[in-house]
Amino acid sequence: MLHLSGGSPRTPGHLISAADLSRDDAVLILDTAEEMARVADRPIKKLPTLRGRTVVNLFFEDSTRTRISFEAAAKRLSADVINFSAKGSSVSKGESLKDTALTLEAMGADAVVIRHHASGAPYRLATSGWIDGVVVNAGDGTHEHPTQALLDAFTMRRRLIGPDAGLGQDLSGRRITIVGDVLHSRVARSNVHLLGTLGAEVTLVAPPTLVPVGVESWPCEVSYDLDQVLPKSDAVMMLRVQRERMNAAFFPTEREYARRYGLDGDRMARMPEHAVVMHPGPMNRGMEITAEVADSDRCTAVEQVANGVSIRMAVLYLLLGGSEPAVTNNATARTEENK
Amino acid sequence: MTKILIRGAKVLGGEPQDVLIDGETVAAVGTGLDAGDATVIEAAGKILLPGLVDLHTHLREPGREDSETVLTGTRAAASGGYTAVFAMANTFPVADTAGVVEQVWRLGKESGYCDVQPIGAVTVGLEGKQLSELGAMHDSAAGVTVFSDDGKCVDDAVIMRRALEYVKAFGGVIAQHAQEPRLTEGAQMNEGVVSAELGLGGWPAVAEESIIARDVLLAEHVGSRVHICHLSTAGSVEIVRWAKSRGIDVTAEVTPHHLLLTDELVRSYNPVYKVNPPLRTERDVMALREALADGTIDIVATDHAPHPHEDKDCEWAAAAMGMVGLETALSVVQQTMVETGLLDWAGVAERMSFKPASIGGLAGHGRPIAVGEPANLTLLDSAYRGVVDPAGFASRSRNTPYEGRELPGRVTHTFLRGRATVVDGKLA
Ligand SMILES: [Zn+2]
């Protein structure tokens, strides 16, 4: 039961790509996540909404953070959760995505949250006819990670507008800078699309080796000079840079990378006072971000984790959702819980 | 001997003529020929071409008989109007010895649907390190003249130079799969706007173009000839055009799919569109068509690459690269080259029969439709329109990018040395 008004045109009923979300759908998800966030403040952090539904976390690639976030979200909506780690099992070599999908289908999965090392695997899962359930992309290769982009947008809206004032609002006119390994980053890809849809002006900053060929078709600016962009940024999103990129000659040394593209206290001081620093985690302290910045109250990394649960609750609710409202009042929720 | 009279066909797309086949050869060409005791095929409105010759086919046998065998592959070839195919060397074991090439050659003889001319590997095991016994393969019953490590690039410049030099002794040619390996590590599709969006590893045009540039210069330096397999970019066209203008002995081929399809199709993540070299952009497609029309690109070759269903029914990154092509090649050429006015049927005959046979040094194929010539012929109903249904393929594999697509033209008859291998669109 799709509650998103337009859904995604290419994969209706699924969430595969942030690029598929309309402005209204994205705002609906953010608003729903605000409702969900209130549940986290209650003594009993649970809603009966998805009781009896089964959500499978199908992870072909390790990501404890993302898996736990989806698991917490599903459980707070009272869904049954099955964690299926395909890494290191027979699946990693012999058994194919298709075989695994057929197994999940036989187990009656209502939603499959999939993390896969291959770009396009969730799209394939959603469009191949192998399963009937809802597919949620939890990160595929270097393609997309739409719920991460949604939680980033949610975090920005809260910080730059405020939780309640933000309801119904998008990010029109906000200037967002994304810094680092754009080439290999599904987070950057999803954010560029979503933030553009929400009306923000996005600038990518990276060494030219870490910007994809073809980026000129993206709805954003590209700069190689961080210092020039910082004073005009409302939010600066630092991407994780893997040290092995150095060995593949994407940049000469860690020191040089940090010097030109790392965010330290001096650089942070060039940002406008209200501007926030974001990071999808886990952070390489001393590489893309210094401890001073990471631990400052302008850095939203910890809230992003908490917001991730709210966003994923909203997504699961909207894609799988019952006909009842997402959040009932406290008394009802407690009664449900005590049954 | 059997006599067949093909009545009223447009020979090479020209004026209607009758062609009488007597035994293995063409006995008469003219108008109003007396049928006598010959079987008559009414061919008014149809196009009669010399039997097609494919310089680039993967028959998979030995080793991957689950995808294709010499028998099923040659049946597919006959269905597509081919009377001869060159079989690539990347089999298991690799065709890098006289023994393996003779085996493939013999299987072709036994199949009876189409002549099979093996291609020998340039290097042992396609590993790019040590030259195969090129001379022994040439001296074998198979008489190999074309050598290729196709599937892999001969990327070591010294090995490539030596191979080019060595085959001069017996008039051989090195057919290069131009792919700079370091620039294409992890490559999944054409590098550009679409790959940036899809997050799939890019296969940049320069990885093809830089190898072609190097190889034409090597061929010039050692005075040998080089053939470029499945050229796919506008830049490659320019380099080959320059090389030819300079008098370098280079020939080049383009596949039907690179004449029609673009990387936009990869947005579907459907591995049926995964191929090496990858589908490129609209601009590349248009440049390839023009280059084929003006002769910069000499021939069309299918790169027929059969794969079993399970190797394509999976996520993109895990899927095998390649498409089947023998049974749809002529239709795609008709649509992209003839119906666009870029090429007439004589031009098609040149690029799909005469020239590939001459590049590969294959006697008895790619001959004019004239008295005394071997009766290797293809009769095409160019007015036909139909939707591609892989269920009807003779190939053992179904990995076609054209399923459900309407393509023009249908081969109604194929003759291999006077014997019909296809009659009324069905294998004989
Ligand atoms: Zn090749």
Side-chain angles (χ1 to χ4, degrees):
Chain A
M1 182 49 56
L2 181 69
H3 280 225
L4 300 174
S5 61
S8 57
R10 296 187 312 157
T11 50
H14 306 281
L15 180 59
I16 306 301
S17 162
D20 289 338
L21 290 172
S22 67
R23 184 254 175 214
D24 288 350
D25 284 340
V27 171
L28 173 63
I29 294 170
L30 300 186
D31 288 354
T32 307
E34 282 296 352
E35 290 181 51
M36 298 297 176
R38 276 182 229 124
V39 175
D41 299 332
R42 295 179 181 183
I44 295 168
K45 301 175 176 32
K46 209 159 175 174
L47 298 170
T49 319
L50 297 184
R51 181 165 290 168
R53 317 297 292 276
T54 300
V55 175
V56 177
N57 285 324
L58 175 59
F59 275 54
F60 286 83
E61 189 182 77
D62 283 334
S63 175
T64 311
R65 298 163 66 104
T66 304
R67 183 182 56 72
I68 289 176
S69 182
F70 271 105
E71 185 172 354
K75 284 184 168 164
R76 282 187 192 171
L77 294 168
S78 301
D80 295 322
V81 179
I82 297 171
N83 286 313
F84 193 104
S85 172
K87 179 117 198 291
S89 72
S90 62
V91 174
S92 59
K93 266 288 166 204
E95 203 178 338
S96 68
L97 175 64
K98 181 184 177 183
D99 292 330
T100 310
L102 296 177
T103 305
L104 299 182
E105 180 68 4
M107 286 161 57
D110 295 297
V112 177
V113 174
I114 176 175
R115 161 71 67 106
H116 203 284
H117 43 78
S119 300
Y123 184 91
R124 204 68 183 123
L125 193 60
T127 56
S128 58
W130 298 331
I131 59 167
D132 286 332
V134 163
V135 177
V136 179
N137 181 3
D140 62 328
T142 52
H143 176 223
E144 284 227 34
H145 193 357
T147 59
Q148 176 74 40
L150 285 161
L151 77 87
D152 290 337
F154 183 75
T155 305
M156 282 178 229
R157 199 176 73 166
R158 283 195 138 191
R159 279 284 194 130
L160 300 175
I161 309 177
D164 288 325
L167 286 179
Q169 303 281 307
D170 57 23
L171 294 167
S172 290
R174 312 287 161 167
R175 289 173 299 188
I176 320 289
T177 301
I178 301 175
V179 187
D181 185 358
V182 176
L183 180 63
H184 302 95
S185 175
R186 50 196 171 211
V187 174
R189 273 179 184 72
S190 287
N191 264 298
V192 165
H193 286 300
L194 183 67
L195 293 171
T197 301
L198 289 171
E201 293 166 25
V202 180
T203 304
L204 301 174
V205 179
T209 48
L210 291 174
V211 177
V213 167
V215 76
E216 60 278 1
S217 69
W218 293 12
C220 62
E221 300 288 311
V222 177
S223 168
Y224 306 132
D225 185 348
L226 180 57
D227 290 310
Q228 215 173 50
V229 180
L230 283 178
K232 295 175 288 189
S233 303
D234 297 307
V236 177
M237 187 183 301
M238 305 305 296
L239 300 173
R240 180 180 165 82
V241 175
Q242 306 200 321
R243 292 190 154 89
E244 39 298 7
R245 304 289 178 224
M246 195 187 89
N247 301 327
F250 285 103
F251 48 84
T253 65
E254 276 180 45
R255 283 316 315 153
E256 170 143 335
Y257 182 87
R259 218 179 285 127
R260 293 175 71 89
Y261 299 100
L263 193 60
D264 59 10
D266 289 348
R267 281 215 164 101
M268 188 166 65
R270 307 179 62 138
M271 294 163 46
E273 213 144 294
H274 67 273
V276 293
V277 175
M278 308 184 65
H279 197 296
M283 294 186 273
N284 282 315
R285 289 165 184 252
M287 181 78 169
E288 70 267 6
I289 195 165
T290 62
E292 181 191 1
V293 177
D295 297 332
S296 83
D297 58 5
R298 299 176 77 172
C299 179
T300 63
V302 177
E303 315 165 30
Q304 285 171 264
V305 175
N307 292 342
V309 177
S310 304
I311 280 290
R312 284 157 187 144
M313 287 174 77
V315 165
L316 289 173
Y317 166 71
L318 289 168
L319 288 175
L320 278 177
S323 41
E324 58 209 285
V327 183
T328 50
N329 63 50
N330 277 348
T332 324
R334 210 159 293 166
T335 320
E336 283 286 320
E337 200 48 48
N338 291 342
K339 268 180 189 170
Chain B
M1 289 303 277
T2 43
K3 285 191 188 174
I4 299 161
L5 181 69
I6 302 170
R7 188 179 274 156
K10 300 188 213 170
V11 176
L12 270 52
E15 290 303 306
Q17 289 197 291
D18 302 338
V19 174
L20 181 67
I21 301 171
D22 187 356
E24 296 193 355
T25 53
V26 174
V29 179
T31 46
L33 292 186
D34 183 13
D37 56 350
T39 309
V40 176
I41 296 171
E42 295 296 349
K46 292 185 183 172
I47 310 289
L48 188 66
L49 298 171
L52 306 183
V53 176
D54 188 15
L55 197 63
H56 192 148
T57 302
H58 296 273
L59 291 178
R60 303 296 187 215
E61 188 177 8
R64 281 310 297 269
E65 291 81 358
D66 58 325
S67 332
E68 194 80 285
T69 63
V70 172
L71 180 61
T72 60
T74 51
R75 285 166 64 94
S79 300
Y82 287 88
T83 52
V85 298
F86 285 73
M88 273 298 173
N90 63 337
T91 48
F92 305 96
V94 170
D96 57 4
T97 62
V100 179
V101 294
E102 280 189 1
Q103 180 197 354
V104 171
W105 178 75
R106 202 156 285 132
L107 286 166
K109 294 246 157 233
E110 287 165 15
S111 93
Y113 282 94
C114 174
D115 286 349
V116 174
Q117 178 58 36
I119 291 174
V122 178
T123 66
V124 175
L126 310 177
E127 300 215 321
K129 297 197 172 74
Q130 188 193 342
L131 289 183
S132 306
E133 291 192 351
L134 307 171
M137 288 189 272
H138 177 72
D139 294 341
S140 75
V144 176
T145 56
V146 182
F147 300 90
S148 180
D149 278 359
D150 182 61
K152 288 183 173 178
C153 180
V154 181
D155 69 299
D156 184 311
V158 172
I159 297 281
M160 187 61 185
R161 176 203 168 139
R162 301 281 184 250
L164 287 167
E165 286 180 301
Y166 195 83
V167 300
K168 283 204 293 179
F170 43 85
V173 63
I174 307 297
Q176 176 69 293
H177 170 123
Q179 177 181 7
E180 209 293 318
R182 288 277 284 140
L183 286 173
T184 51
E185 277 171 18
Q188 295 286 331
M189 67 172 297
N190 178 50
E191 183 168 75
V193 165
V194 181
S195 69
E197 235 174 272
L198 299 185
L200 288 172
W203 198 135
V206 66
E208 174 173 306
E209 294 155 7
S210 58
I211 293 290
I212 297 175
R214 181 200 74 177
D215 288 352
V216 294
L217 292 173
L218 283 174
E220 177 179 49
H221 182 63
V222 303
S224 187
R225 73 190 171 112
V226 65
H227 175 76
I228 309 300
C229 294
H230 42 52
L231 183 152
S232 71
T233 78
S236 298
V237 166
E238 285 175 39
I239 294 165
V240 170
R241 191 171 284 142
W242 171 83
K244 286 188 166 178
S245 74
R246 201 174 151 95
I248 298 172
D249 201 352
V250 56
T251 53
E253 72 192 30
V254 63
T255 71
H257 47 272
H258 287 112
L259 290 173
L260 180 61
L261 310 175
T262 71
D263 64 352
E264 288 292 329
L265 291 162
V266 184
R267 291 184 188 280
S268 68
Y269 284 110
N270 186 343
V272 78
Y273 301 116
K274 185 172 175 182
V275 66
N276 188 9
L279 300 178
R280 306 287 189 183
T281 67
E282 186 74 17
R283 183 179 152 263
D284 294 304
V285 166
M286 292 306 154
L288 294 171
R289 289 183 187 182
E290 272 174 39
L292 182 64
D294 72 20
T296 302
I297 295 175
D298 301 84
I299 65 169
V300 174
T302 67
D303 194 8
H304 176 80
H307 291 292
H309 181 65
E310 55 273 23
D311 288 0
K312 286 288 193 181
D313 191 30
C314 56
E315 61 274 25
W316 181 277
M321 297 199 236
M323 306 168 166
V324 292
L326 285 168
E327 290 168 82
T328 48
L330 190 52
S331 292
V332 174
V333 170
Q334 182 180 335
Q335 178 172 326
T336 58
M337 300 300 297
V338 180
E339 295 186 352
T340 53
L342 287 166
L343 215 55
D344 58 15
W345 287 109
V348 172
E350 174 72 17
R351 286 154 184 80
M352 296 184 78
S353 179
F354 300 141
K355 199 69 197 276
S358 90
I359 293 169
L362 192 61
H365 289 275
R367 302 293 306 164
I369 299 174
V371 174
E373 295 287 353
N376 295 318
L377 299 168
T378 293
L379 191 60
L380 174 77
D381 177 4
S382 62
Y384 177 87
R385 291 290 180 281
V387 170
V388 177
D389 178 10
F393 280 2
S395 172
R396 179 161 286 184
S397 293
R398 302 279 177 271
N399 51 305
T400 174
Y402 310 116
E403 179 170 6
R405 201 183 259 262
E406 190 185 281
L407 289 178
R410 172 170 167 265
V411 171
T412 63
H413 293 77
T414 309
F415 297 93
L416 177 62
R417 279 183 293 279
R419 195 175 60 77
T421 54
V422 172
V423 176
D424 292 330
K426 294 191 177 62
L427 283 162

